[in-house]
Structure formats: structure tokens, C-alpha cells
Amino acid sequence: MKMKSESFATPQGTENFRKRFEGKTSPEHFRNDSLLSNSLYLSSLGLGTYLGDPDDETDNQVEKMARLAVQSGVNVIDTAINYRYQRAERSIGRSLHQMFTQDKINRNEIVISTKGGFIPFNGKEPETPDLYIQKNLIDTELAFEEEIVAGCHCISPSYLQSQINQSLVNLHLSTIDIYYVHNPETQLREVSRNQFYKRIQAAFKLLEENVAQGKIRCYGTATWTGFLANPKTKDYLSLKDLIQIAHDVGGTQHHFKAIQLPYNLAMPEALLHRNQELNGQWVSLLTAAQNQGFIVMSSASLLQGRLAETLPEAVHHLFKGLKTPAQKSIQFVRSTPGITTALVGMKSQAHLKENTETLQHELEPESITSVFEN
């Protein structure tokens, strides 16, 4: 009997999905992560939904690609409420609804992640964003004016709750598997670190409450510069400090389990830059995250398409058996120890076919060192 869509990814569901692609993908394509809901299987390639115009054509492309990606062995779909002014979430929601009601796909097989923090607007950018924020956030008491930074970002509990509720509606779901606080370092550019920690603590407390209510399964932080920055810079994020805050609000069984950050051939800092403290030593973000059991999803795996066009000559001889720059770039990311899923935006069947061909190849962690020796 088909599971209802009001569910979430489960160990048995993701195991069933993995078995469906035995012999069609490499054995290492699915990562078994014991810290997320007791051993989920996550695909090493995930569908990202960041880029694109806020129009019907892009909506249709995203909706179609989500279904085709799942049919090709991808069970991780990542989005955010602000992507294309909520249209990305809504496109994914329609696709999920169709998959769960018409295709032979169960909700418990698919890992869905989304994010909140940036003010998303509604379908398009308003003519007067400031007036929109005043009317929809401040006047409704979802947020105080001082809680909004950079004119676009807010992580107050009441605001984040409204975003979680809206994301559930957009996605046609009752539970989100991974919910990220989106680019929290945006706050650090305008408030003190002490004030930031108070705000992130309130956000984490709210997210723990949503886990208890069944609206989300776990939470994390999706960042751009924060985890890659020098510890002395204003927007630096310490994974150690965030874990401590999660422990303070959720105890030893807290649900801060995932992080997302840019990682690719042109931005290897997460692998190379020793900027995170672990047991009294400075290590890379990937080392710290892997040591503490985090799911790590790489955003910008193709650097928003640029690495799909050309690669340095020194890289071309690596990752043998793969032909295109996109395939080699994806193989670099998914072969890197500590990376769970490489997120890639795909809006054409040709790109989907090219990218998913990578999944038939064994991982090549030994080639990662070679990249930086050339």
C-alpha cells in the first residue's frame, strides 16, 4: 500500500530506494548516515533549485527535472523559500505531489531540505520591498524592525515559524526532513557576536520545538562564507560554538545534524582551510563535520554552471572514464571525504543525463590530493 505524502524519509524507505538502483549506480552512490533518523540512505548527487527566472517556464522545468532526477537515482532535493520568490518550493511541491500520487514513489524514500531566513516575497519582487516588509512582517508582529538585517534577513522565532509553516504548504508536506537556517552569517555583519549567539540560540530552540511537533526531522545551517572564513573575521562561524548552542537548547539528543556550504574545484576551502577547532586542534570544516557525524551538502558544486564549461588543464587527466567538465567537477565533490551530497541545479534532460552518468563511477578519494598537487 502506498504511503501517504504526510510522512518523512525513513531508513526503510530510503533503503528501498537504494535497492531500486542496485547495479545501475556505483555501490558508493548512496551514503548511509546513521545520525539522521537512524540510518537514512542519501544519494551522492542531489537536485539544487537555486537558479532560474521567476516565471512559468522555469517552474515547469524544475517540476519536470525533480521527477526525472528521482527516476535517475537521486533522492535528495534541496530548495529554499526565497528561491525564485517561493516559486522553487512550489514547483518542487507540485512535483512531489505528482510523484507520490501517480508515480511509484513513496514519501519515505525522498529526503527534502529547505531553508528560512531571507525574506522571500511572494511569486515576484514587489515594487516597494520596504513597504512589503513593513506590512507583512513588522505590522503583523512577525518581527521587530531591529531583528531584520541588511533589509532582507530575519531569524526571529516568530518569523522562522511562519516560514516553516509556509514551506510545508508550498511543498505539500507535513514534515520537512532537513530545515536550514539560511546564511546566518548575514546577521553577523550587522550585530555583535554575543547578540548573534542569542538570536541563533532562540532559532535553534524554535527548531527543536518543531522537531518535537513533527514539522521537521532535524535542522542545520546553510552558509556561504561563514564556515569558510578566517576565525578573526566578522562573519566567521564556529561549528564548535553552534554545536554547543544546540546542546544548550536540545541536550545531548539535539537535532542539529546538517550543514550546507559551497564546495567545488574553485572553492576548496572546506577541505583545505584549517579554521575550525576540534579537540584543541585546528582542522578543516570537512574534518570537523565528519568527525562529529554531520550531513554535509555542498552547494555550488558546479559554481553555478561555470565549472561545467571548462576546467584547468591539470585536472583533465584525473577522474578517468568521465568525459565532460561537469562530470569531473561532480566527481571531485562527491569523492571528497566528508561530503554527503553534491547539490547540482539541472533544468534540461541533457544536463540531467550528463550529470547522472557520474553515478555509475566509483568514488575516487585518492584523486582529490592529486588535484592540489598540480
Side-chain angles (χ1 to χ4, degrees), residues 23 38-39 46 95 100-101 171 193 216 242 260 269 282 284 299 312:
N38 301 317
S39 303
S95 187
F100 300 150
T101 57
L171 292 165
R193 187 161 294 271
I216 63 175
L242 294 179
Q260 187 178 131
E269 292 89 345
W282 289 97
S284 72
S299 59

Side-chain angles (χ1 to χ4, degrees), residues 90-351:
R90 291 166 180 167
S91 298
I92 293 299
R94 287 190 297 272
S95 187
L96 291 174
H97 179 71
Q98 193 169 23
M99 281 189 271
F100 300 150
T101 57
Q102 298 180 20
D103 300 346
K104 295 180 180 179
I105 300 295
N106 288 325
R107 167 65 181 101
N108 62 8
E109 298 176 312
I110 310 298
V111 178
I112 307 296
S113 60
T114 192
K115 318 174 188 72
F118 286 108
I119 297 168
F121 304 129
N122 188 12
K124 62 180 181 180
E125 184 174 359
E127 293 182 4
T128 52
D130 290 346
L131 183 60
Y132 178 97
I133 292 171
Q134 180 69 43
K135 181 180 178 181
N136 290 278
L137 274 72
I138 298 171
D139 291 350
T140 60
E141 299 184 347
L142 284 179
F144 295 108
E145 187 173 359
E146 59 270 22
E147 293 174 323
I148 301 170
V149 303
C152 66
H153 195 270
C154 182
I155 59 171
S156 72
S158 57
Y159 178 68
L160 277 184
Q161 188 63 64
S162 74
Q163 299 299 279
I164 292 170
N165 294 342
Q166 184 60 55
S167 288
L168 289 168
V169 172
N170 291 346
L171 292 165
H172 296 277
L173 298 176
S174 63
T175 305
I176 295 163
D177 297 300
I178 306 172
Y179 190 85
Y180 296 105
V181 180
H182 201 176
N183 287 21
E185 65 267 39
T186 306
Q187 297 276 323
L188 275 169
R189 298 179 187 127
E190 295 198 14
V191 303
S192 69
R193 187 161 294 271
N194 285 340
Q195 182 63 32
F196 169 75
Y197 282 155
K198 290 178 181 178
R199 291 185 177 187
I200 205 72
Q201 183 177 45
F204 280 11
K205 183 175 184 294
L206 183 277
L207 294 171
E208 289 286 350
E209 291 169 357
N210 275 265
V211 172
Q213 295 165 12
K215 291 187 175 183
I216 63 175
R217 293 292 285 169
C218 72
Y219 61 92
T221 49
T223 72
W224 187 252
T225 61
F227 282 134
L228 307 181
N230 186 294
K232 295 181 180 180
T233 60
K234 189 171 178 60
D235 61 348
Y236 169 75
L237 289 177
S238 163
L239 183 60
K240 176 185 175 182
D241 288 351
L242 294 179
I243 292 172
Q244 183 60 55
I245 291 170
H247 185 277
D248 291 344
V249 300
T252 57
Q253 300 300 311
H254 66 79
H255 295 84
F256 177 44
K257 302 296 184 185
I259 58 177
Q260 187 178 131
L261 75 167
Y263 175 73
N264 53 59
L265 277 163
M267 299 178 67
E269 292 89 345
L271 175 68
L272 302 180
H273 189 186
R274 296 185 179 186
N275 67 339
Q276 298 291 328
E277 189 177 356
L278 177 67
N279 299 326
Q281 296 183 327
W282 289 97
V283 300
S284 72
L285 183 280
L286 287 180
T287 297
Q290 186 177 30
N291 182 272
Q292 295 170 97
F294 275 81
I295 291 169
V296 180
M297 295 194 184
S298 70
S299 59
S301 299
L302 296 180
L303 196 58
Q304 299 174 355
R306 280 171 279 180
L307 292 174
E309 298 172 0
T310 184
L311 293 177
E313 285 298 324
V315 178
H316 277 294
H317 74 284
L318 301 174
F319 309 117
K320 296 178 180 179
L322 296 168
K323 300 176 181 179
T324 70
Q327 290 175 338
K328 293 181 179 184
S329 296
I330 291 170
Q331 185 73 338
F332 167 79
V333 175
R334 65 189 286 268
S335 294
T336 301
I339 294 290
T340 307
T341 299
L343 297 173
V344 178
M346 296 173 274
K347 294 188 177 67
S348 74
Q349 287 182 259
H351 287 156

